Amino acid sequence: MSSTTNFWIKWRVRVGYPVGVAAFWFARPQMKWLLCGVGIAIVGLLLRGYAAGHLRKHKQLAISGPYAFTRNPLYLGSLILAAGFSVASHSRISTLLLAAYFGIFYPVVIRREQGELKTLYGAAFEEYALKVPAFWPRLSPAVVSTEHFSWLLYKQNREYEAAIGLVVAMAILGLMIK
């Protein structure tokens, strides 16, 4: 991994916390926007959960479920969650902060992970990458698989933490309504 990539990966978490705090600081939630935001965020949460139930990290190339449409359904789900928060926050500044954060850090993270997957799975990943877009999903599955969603994988991947985070974030925004 290059030193530039290491820099961005290292700072992704360090910058994420202050960006999150600032997004709450600038939030001006209203009930109608909070409810709309929760609806959008739930879509992201469901996508992340569905992806986590198909992910066997470092054991098998994930190509089933949402991975047949996009190589990065977890990050797409995170983006949808952030969009839900942005709507719920009813703040342009919060939205710009989150958009900048995603725009700066996630392309680097996605490229790094693609390199890792290519190293781990070689030609199988390259063939998969030719059929399935990195981020924005296809309209139809590119890969047919017999794999099914697994609650065990969902739990092993600790995706329930995203659900807890969503509940806490929306509860805080709800408490901020004047």
Side-chain angles (χ1 to χ4, degrees):
M1 196 174 350
S2 75
S3 60
T4 305
T5 300
N6 279 335
F7 171 84
W8 289 109
I9 299 301
K10 184 170 136 181
W11 280 94
R12 176 180 76 156
V13 174
R14 292 179 182 171
V15 172
Y17 290 115
V19 167
V21 169
F24 278 107
W25 178 263
F26 291 109
R28 301 294 177 256
Q30 297 174 6
M31 187 54 73
K32 68 180 178 181
W33 294 111
L34 179 68
L35 294 174
C36 288
V38 165
I40 293 167
I42 287 172
V43 171
L45 186 67
L46 290 172
L47 177 55
R48 284 189 55 88
Y50 185 40
H54 285 268
L55 182 61
R56 291 171 174 81
K57 291 180 185 177
H58 308 296
K59 294 178 183 165
Q60 179 182 338
L61 180 61
I63 61 170
S64 61
Y67 291 94
F69 296 87
T70 172
R71 294 195 312 262
N72 291 284
L74 287 166
Y75 293 139
L76 180 57
S78 293
L79 181 67
I80 296 168
L81 274 166
F85 179 90
S86 294
V87 169
S89 75
H90 194 241
S91 165
R92 287 186 182 146
I93 296 172
S94 294
T95 300
L96 289 172
L97 285 169
L98 293 170
Y101 178 80
F102 271 84
I104 291 169
F105 290 101
Y106 275 71
V108 174
V109 172
I110 289 170
R111 277 194 303 276
R112 182 206 63 189
E113 287 185 3
Q114 284 184 147
E116 290 173 357
L117 291 171
K118 187 175 178 182
T119 299
L120 276 171
Y121 302 109
F125 174 75
E126 289 178 7
E127 182 182 333
Y128 170 68
L130 288 173
K131 296 176 186 173
V132 180
F135 195 73
W136 300 111
R138 298 169 46 95
L139 295 178
S140 62
V143 180
V144 177
S145 173
T146 59
E147 299 284 328
H148 297 286
F149 176 85
S150 165
W151 281 107
L152 179 62
L153 288 173
Y154 174 89
K155 287 187 263 181
Q156 284 175 351
N157 289 317
R158 299 171 41 193
E159 191 55 34
Y160 54 84
E161 292 176 358
I164 294 167
L166 174 62
V167 169
V168 169
M170 294 304 174
I172 291 170
L173 288 176
L175 293 171
M176 293 172 65
I177 294 175
K178 294 178 183 175

